[in-house]
Amino acid sequence: MSLPKLYIPGPVEISKETYSAMAEPMIGHRGADFEALYASVQPALKQIAGTSNNVFLSTSSAWGVMEASIRNLVQKKVLNLCCGAFSDKWFSVAKACGKDAEKIQVEWGEAIDPAAVKAKLEEGGFDTVTLVHNETSTGVLNPLKEIAEVVKSFEGVLLVVDTVSSFSAVATPMDELGIDVLLAGVQKALALPPGLSIFGVSEAALERAATTPDRGYYFDFLEFAKADKANNTPSTPAIALIYALREKVNSIIEEGLENRYARHAKLNAMIQAWGAKHGLENIAPEGAQSKTLVTFKAGNLDVPGFVKAVRAKHNILINGGYGKIKGITFRISNMGNETEESIQELITALDDVIPEFLSA
Ligand SMILES: *Cc1c(COP(=O)(O)O)cnc(C)c1O
C-alpha cells in the first residue's frame, strides 16, 4: 500500500507544485542566481509576517531558531510561557543554554493569561519572553495580541513568538504587535518538507544581540542580518527548500491572506463538528482554540486502535496524542493545502472506523 495521506500536525501533505519547485536546477549560493532567489521570496514573506524588515532563512528546524533566540537575546532572565509540549520545552532549552529562566506554567489544554504575564513581569529582572502562539500539542491558540500588549508595556523586554503551526493560517502582524522575533519552521502551517525555518527580527532585537556574548556562529542574528544585506545567508542554505518556499509564498499571496485565514477557520470547524457529533471534546477551551488542528480528549475512545484502523482501512494518518497526553488525546490537522473536499474525505473515513473503537 502506498504511504498514507497525512492529517497529522506536521509534517503535512506537500502539493505537487511544491515538489516540482524543489526539482529546479541547483545553483551556487554565492552569486547572483541565489541572491535573486532570496530576494524573490521577501515581498510575500514580509507581507505574510506583517513586517517591513526582511525575513531571514535558517537551514534548521524551528528549534534551531528557538534556541538561537535564547542565545542571542537573553542577558538577564527569560520568562517562558508554558502551556504544552513545545512551550514547556523552551524553558528547558533556556536552562540548557545556561540562561537564567523562569516560567509561567498552566495546565496542558489551558491558554496563557495575559494578566499573569503582567504580574510576573512586574516582579522585574526579565529581558525576554517566549510565547508559542499555537501550542501544537494541545491545539491551544494563545491570545497573542493581548500578551504582546502586556510585554510591550515593559521597557527593555523583548517578545519572541513561535508561529510554527499558525504562520499564514492566522494573522500574526509582527510589526503592528511589536513582536521582536517571529519564527516558524516550514513543515506545518506552510506545508513544505522539513529542514528550513523563517524568522523576522526587530531592530531592538538586533541591537540586543549585538551586546550579548557567546552567540556562537551558526545562529548568530548579526551574521544573518549581515548576509541579508547581500540577499544571502551566513552558511550554505537548503536551496531546494527555498525554491519550494518561493512557490508556496507566491501561492499564499495568490490565495489571499484573508481567504486563507477563512479557509483554515472553516476546515477546523468541520473537524470540531465531526468530534462533537461523536461526543468528543476539544481539550482547548472555547475562545482559545487553534484554527489549524484539533486536539480531542479521547474519552472512551481507544486511541491507538482507532489511529491504526484509520490507517489500515483508509490509508490516512492522524496523530495519537503528543508528549504526556499521548493516548489520552488525539490530534487532527487541517494545515496547509487542505480543502473542504479533502476534509470531508477525512471525515467520511473517520466516521466509517470510529464506531468499533468507542466503548459505552
Ligand atoms: C513542531 C513544532 C516545533 C518544533 O519544530 P521542529 O521542527 O521539531 O524543530 C516548535 N514549536 C511548535 C509550536 C511546533 O508545532
Side-chain angles (χ1 to χ4, degrees), residues 1 5-6 39 53 64 81 85 93 113 127 144 149 156 162 167 170 257 269 352:
M1 203 182 208
K5 162 115 201 248
L6 303 178
N53 295 317
L81 305 177
V93 169
D113 175 8
D127 62 6
L144 173 61
E149 262 167 31
D162 164 336
F167 188 77
V170 177
L257 281 173
D352 175 46

Side-chain angles (χ1 to χ4, degrees), residues 19-313:
Y19 282 132
S20 309
M22 291 182 73
E24 289 194 39
M26 203 34 57
I27 52 178
H29 66 291
R30 298 294 181 231
D33 293 332
F34 180 74
E35 287 159 22
L37 174 61
Y38 183 99
S40 72
V41 300
Q42 290 298 332
L45 263 183
K46 288 157 74 169
Q47 192 181 331
I48 300 164
T51 180
S52 61
N53 295 317
N54 269 4
V55 176
F56 302 154
L57 309 181
S58 170
T59 295
S60 69
S61 78
W63 273 115
V65 184
M66 292 164 81
E67 177 170 317
S69 300
I70 301 289
R71 293 189 63 184
N72 278 267
L73 304 183
V74 182
Q75 296 183 4
K76 294 181 193 154
K77 186 162 57 169
V78 58
L79 175 61
N80 302 110
L81 305 177
C82 302
C83 62
F86 296 103
S87 49
D88 287 13
K89 188 168 171 182
W90 220 342
F91 173 72
S92 321
V93 169
K95 294 275 197 192
C97 290
K99 302 290 186 176
D100 197 0
E102 275 192 59
K103 60 178 169 177
I104 290 176
Q105 180 76 60
V106 300
E107 291 290 325
W108 285 27
E110 286 175 16
I112 300 293
D113 175 8
V117 179
K118 182 163 185 281
K120 192 74 197 166
L121 290 178
E122 275 167 356
E123 292 176 11
F126 296 99
D127 62 6
T128 309
V129 173
T130 68
L131 171 72
V132 171
H133 181 213
N134 191 65
E135 178 45 81
T136 319
S137 57
T138 60
V140 163
L141 185 68
N142 280 301
L144 173 61
K145 184 166 177 279
E146 290 76 6
I147 292 170
E149 262 167 31
V150 165
V151 177
K152 281 307 99 185
S153 69
F154 289 86
E155 214 188 305
V157 182
L158 300 176
L159 177 61
V160 183
V161 182
D162 164 336
T163 64
V164 174
S165 57
S166 56
F167 188 77
S168 84
V170 177
T172 54
M174 178 176 178
D175 291 357
E176 187 188 314
L177 298 181
I179 296 168
D180 293 292
V181 178
L182 180 132
L183 67 97
V186 298
Q187 80 275 21
K188 294 187 188 168
L190 278 175
L192 300 181
L196 184 73
S197 294
I198 58 105
F199 65 113
V201 182
S202 72
E203 291 302 325
L206 284 176
E207 277 170 29
R208 169 77 62 77
T211 63
T212 306
D214 300 330
R215 301 186 304 278
Y217 164 69
Y218 192 74
F219 290 115
D220 180 359
F221 284 180
L222 299 188
E223 291 285 345
F224 278 92
K226 192 170 78 184
D228 171 74
K229 297 254 181 297
N231 285 315
N232 220 310
T233 53
S235 46
T236 313
I239 294 171
L241 283 169
I242 300 175
Y243 279 134
L245 179 67
R246 178 174 66 183
E247 182 279 325
K248 177 52 63 186
V249 294
N250 288 343
S251 82
I252 290 172
I253 298 303
E254 201 174 302
E255 177 177 15
L257 281 173
E258 292 303 328
N259 294 338
R260 189 173 172 86
Y261 302 153
R263 173 168 62 84
H264 281 86
K266 186 165 191 181
L267 301 184
N268 194 264
M270 287 171 72
I271 297 170
Q272 296 220 36
W274 167 80
K277 188 174 74 182
H278 294 284
L280 294 164
E281 277 178 55
N282 192 329
I283 177 172
E286 240 173 88
Q289 292 171 344
S290 171
K291 303 294 177 203
T292 57
L293 77 144
V294 181
T295 302
F296 287 111
K297 292 183 195 169
N300 296 325
L301 182 75
D302 163 13
V303 169
F306 179 55
V307 170
K308 212 171 149 196
V310 170
R311 177 168 181 164
K313 205 164 170 201

